[in-house]
Amino acid sequence: MKIKACTYNSENDTLAVLTTDGMKMCILCPAIEDSLQTDIIGRSKLTWLKDNEPSTYAELLITDKLQSFLDQYAENYHLQQNTIKNQLTEHFNGDKAYAAAIAREIMMYGR
């Protein structure tokens, strides 16, 4: 099933999907997201997808790849944050707590 059009309605947190074979779907995002095992990092990525790439969100959902996408995204995010933290720990003479705090700030605001 291919997606022809997809729009996100932020007022009721739904996706309206039209497939190439003419089928229309209304996806209730809160119901889907409550069934996923994710953290705040994954939730923020879902919000970004709905706002910026709703077709990608819908395709991941329809192909049953949304959970694995979130798992991979979170793994990459935490790996990147740990890499930054390790580099900062060296720079700040082994102060791991300070390095971890700065790494979190960079990951939240530094993009």
Side-chain angles (χ1 to χ4, degrees), residues 17-101:
V17 180
L18 176 64
T19 64
T20 54
D21 59 359
M23 185 168 56
K24 295 179 183 178
M25 293 182 276
C26 182
I27 299 171
L28 300 172
C29 297
I32 299 300
E33 292 167 14
D34 288 345
S35 71
L36 298 170
Q37 296 196 358
T38 188
D39 57 8
I40 195 164
I41 304 305
R43 292 281 183 161
S44 66
K45 185 62 175 179
L46 289 173
T47 300
W48 187 91
L49 280 174
K50 289 185 291 190
D51 289 336
N52 298 290
E53 296 180 15
S55 293
T56 301
Y57 183 106
E59 184 176 337
L60 288 167
L61 178 63
I62 290 168
T63 59
D64 199 28
K65 295 180 181 175
L66 192 55
Q67 182 67 59
S68 61
F69 170 81
L70 291 173
D71 293 344
Q72 184 65 44
Y73 179 78
E75 183 180 327
N76 290 339
Y77 182 93
H78 292 297
L79 179 63
Q80 185 178 6
Q81 184 175 354
N82 285 336
T83 300
I84 292 169
K85 182 185 78 171
N86 292 339
Q87 292 171 347
L88 289 170
T89 299
E90 289 179 28
H91 180 74
F92 290 111
N93 299 319
D95 189 345
K96 291 182 180 180
Y98 188 64

